[in-house]
Amino acid sequence: MTSLDERERVAEPGNPLHVLLDPAMRIDPHPTLARLRAASPLVTPDGTVVVGDYASCLDVMRNPAMGNDTLDSPGLRGLVPNSGAKQVLDSIFFMDGGDHGRQRRLISKAFTPRITARYRPWIENIVDELFSEIDGADEFDAVGEFANLLSIRIICELLDVPMSDVDVLKEWSDDLALATELPTLVAGFRRLGLLSPEELAVVDRTCASMHAYFADLIFKRRRAPGEDLVSSLIRTEDRGQTLARHEVTNVLVTLFAAAHESVTNLITNGILALHRNRDQLALLRADPALAAPMADEVLRYDAPVQLTARVALSPTTVAGLDVDAGTVVILLLAAANRDETEFAEADRFLISRTTKRMQLAFGAGPHFCIGSSLTKLEAELAFRAVAERFTDFEVDEGSLEYRRHVVVRGLRKMTVHVSRRNLEL
């Protein structure tokens, strides 16, 4: 094996990941990611390892010597102050060890395939309601008037919270989205300054508000449990263990922000991909059952989560390099998902694609996304509805506006022109 000291450091000055901070990267990051994948593994001047090929990314995520709590690594410890953002990062999504395993076993009981399947009818109802609301318009914003609302309404239904709270919850979720990027941002760029003091202050206020909101909701569900996710998390039990109140609160806050962002981006990326690949739109219209594999293909082809981070918990090997405990590893998931060695014609969008390899948008190993089946179900029903409801649509490419996020790439605005509708469907 090769040690980090023996490997030639990255030739260009500074961190090769800095190119991803360029706002122009949001439009089409894939040529740059392909170059980084071809050059990986890379070692930055501060010793961070960057990998972008599929096999290495999958190996790191499945390696028991690699952890998810990058902010507790020696070089990063203390960079994030004890603030609202830190509260978000103390949830199961960013922890390792026994506590992670215990909480994951308990939370997973609320996301079994049987439970997820029962959500299909009311997700279909919400999709129908949203299409009814935009019915009659010649154009609509696929982000603000469809995907965003679909995601937030489903979460509200899942938690059984009043629809009158949708607007404030959506605002909180948007404000908190940047906080969920902090572990990867700080791990990849070694500084907190990527978020302004004003943004961190907003995160603090929002986190306090959301914790208070969900703490009150938990109190109400303990007194009058129902069939919602909050009640399920409260009563779930494994080996005589249950989730503590603060654990349920942390899960709900982080799940709310992460799920809302991921579903919104998955749906809008899929609509844009259909617009740009009319042959695939024709396939979907001919066979709406392809909406299910299409969700996986969108996650591979235009992954909402561009990169993630891991830290070595003990000495191990990464992409042929011997690394010490505490070494941070950045995984370029969007690059790995277009690795030609694993996916034939990787740069093509093919909704009927069949492969033995899983796309890595939801991660792998002990931190594989708990809510992946629900996320894909929401996207499947949205894609099916788009194909069935519109006999023709065009995305206004000039309307595309991307959010400033680096880790989770997504649109802020996308105008869709509808020229003909099939109102009977």
Side-chain angles (χ1 to χ4, degrees):
M1 296 299 175
T2 306
S3 72
L4 292 187
D5 291 335
E6 292 168 342
R7 169 124 180 137
E8 182 180 353
R9 299 279 171 161
V10 179
E12 66 231 67
N15 188 332
L17 295 174
H18 282 173
V19 66
L20 301 180
L21 297 176
D22 183 351
M25 282 294 106
R26 308 297 176 276
I27 299 172
D28 184 10
H30 295 290
T32 297
L33 290 170
R35 289 193 292 272
L36 291 173
R37 180 181 62 238
S40 72
L42 299 167
V43 184
T44 71
D46 57 27
T48 297
V49 178
V50 181
V51 295
D53 66 288
Y54 182 95
S56 296
C57 287
L58 183 62
D59 180 64
V60 168
M61 288 188 286
R62 287 179 170 174
N63 187 343
M66 302 300 298
N68 206 33
D69 190 4
T70 55
L71 295 181
D72 195 43
S73 62
L76 304 180
R77 197 175 294 135
L79 278 180
V80 177
N82 189 17
S83 61
K86 189 66 168 62
Q87 283 182 291
V88 175
L89 305 179
D90 282 339
S91 75
I92 181 180
F93 301 97
F94 305 103
M95 67 170 58
D96 298 309
D99 253 1
H100 171 264
R102 176 183 63 82
Q103 290 191 42
R104 184 178 178 87
R105 285 194 304 272
L106 290 164
I107 296 167
S108 296
K109 291 178 178 292
F111 289 94
T112 63
R114 179 183 61 82
I115 291 176
T116 298
R118 79 184 189 199
Y119 298 142
R120 177 180 285 266
W122 53 256
I123 293 176
E124 290 174 331
N125 288 337
I126 294 172
V127 170
D128 287 342
E129 289 172 4
L130 288 172
F131 271 103
S132 296
E133 290 173 14
I134 60 177
D135 185 36
D138 293 328
E139 64 180 46
F140 67 98
D141 177 10
V143 181
E145 294 179 277
F146 182 58
N148 213 319
L149 291 178
L150 175 62
S151 171
I152 206 78
R153 289 188 188 181
I154 287 172
I155 295 173
C156 288
E157 186 78 24
L158 190 64
L159 303 180
D160 193 20
V161 299
M163 283 298 160
S164 58
D165 292 349
V166 163
D167 289 342
V168 68
L169 288 170
K170 177 184 174 300
E171 181 180 346
W172 287 344
S173 179
D174 291 342
D175 289 342
L176 207 58
L178 276 175
T180 62
E181 297 205 348
L182 272 179
T184 302
L185 286 177
V186 173
F189 301 99
R190 300 283 172 145
R191 55 193 175 94
L192 189 60
L194 296 173
L195 270 65
S196 70
E198 292 76 18
E199 286 173 324
L200 288 173
V202 168
V203 168
D204 281 351
R205 292 194 300 272
T206 302
C207 190
S209 298
M210 290 191 77
H211 269 79
Y213 180 91
F214 286 120
D216 180 63
L217 190 61
I218 291 167
F219 175 76
K220 291 176 180 176
R221 292 296 186 274
R222 285 191 186 279
R223 297 182 63 184
E227 296 300 318
D228 56 283
L229 177 60
V230 182
S231 300
S232 295
L233 290 173
I234 291 170
R235 64 173 170 255
T236 189
E237 183 178 336
D238 182 75
R239 304 173 193 176
Q241 297 179 325
T242 58
L243 292 167
R245 185 196 60 77
H246 74 277
E247 292 172 339
V248 177
T249 304
N250 281 342
V251 167
L252 292 174
V253 171
T254 312
L255 180 66
F256 202 97
H260 173 50
E261 186 87 354
S262 297
V263 171
T264 298
N265 294 339
L266 171 56
I267 292 173
T268 50
N269 289 353
I271 294 173
L272 181 59
L274 287 174
H275 159 74
R276 291 174 172 174
N277 298 271
R278 311 301 285 194
D279 60 329
Q280 300 304 298
L281 176 58
L283 279 178
L284 182 60
R285 284 177 172 149
D287 183 5
L290 287 172
M294 176 183 161
D296 264 314
E297 176 67 349
V298 176
L299 287 163
R300 184 203 66 82
Y301 176 78
D302 200 2
V305 180
Q306 299 283 286
L307 61 156
T308 190
R310 294 291 188 270
V311 60
L313 303 176
S314 59
T316 189
T317 302
V318 173
L321 304 177
D322 292 327
V323 301
D324 296 327
T327 300
V328 171
V329 181
I330 300 298
L331 310 177
L332 303 177
L333 300 182
N337 275 334
R338 290 203 184 192
D339 189 338
E340 286 279 353
T341 64
E342 302 297 337
F343 302 102
E345 300 182 283
D347 287 327
R348 290 190 64 194
F349 177 65
L350 303 170
I351 66 172
S352 58
R353 181 184 296 273
T354 56
T355 175
K356 294 181 179 178
R357 289 297 193 182
M358 58 184 282
Q359 48 77 20
L360 300 181
F362 289 130
H367 287 278
F368 182 77
C369 177
I370 292 174
S372 60
S373 59
L374 180 59
T375 298
K376 290 196 289 186
L377 176 60
E378 293 176 45
E380 173 196 341
L381 297 178
F383 298 149
R384 179 187 286 263
V386 167
E388 292 178 341
R389 296 282 186 138
F390 300 143
T391 56
D392 197 13
F393 74 88
E394 294 282 340
V395 171
D396 179 357
E397 296 271 357
S399 73
L400 301 182
E401 295 179 13
Y402 282 88
R403 297 166 67 91
R404 59 154 290 190
H405 299 187
V406 176
V407 177
V408 181
R409 174 173 169 266
L411 285 155
R412 183 191 305 277
K413 181 180 180 182
M414 181 172 73
T415 300
V416 176
H417 297 284
V418 183
S419 54
R420 293 189 305 279
R421 294 171 186 243
N422 186 344
L423 298 179
E424 299 303 317
L425 294 175

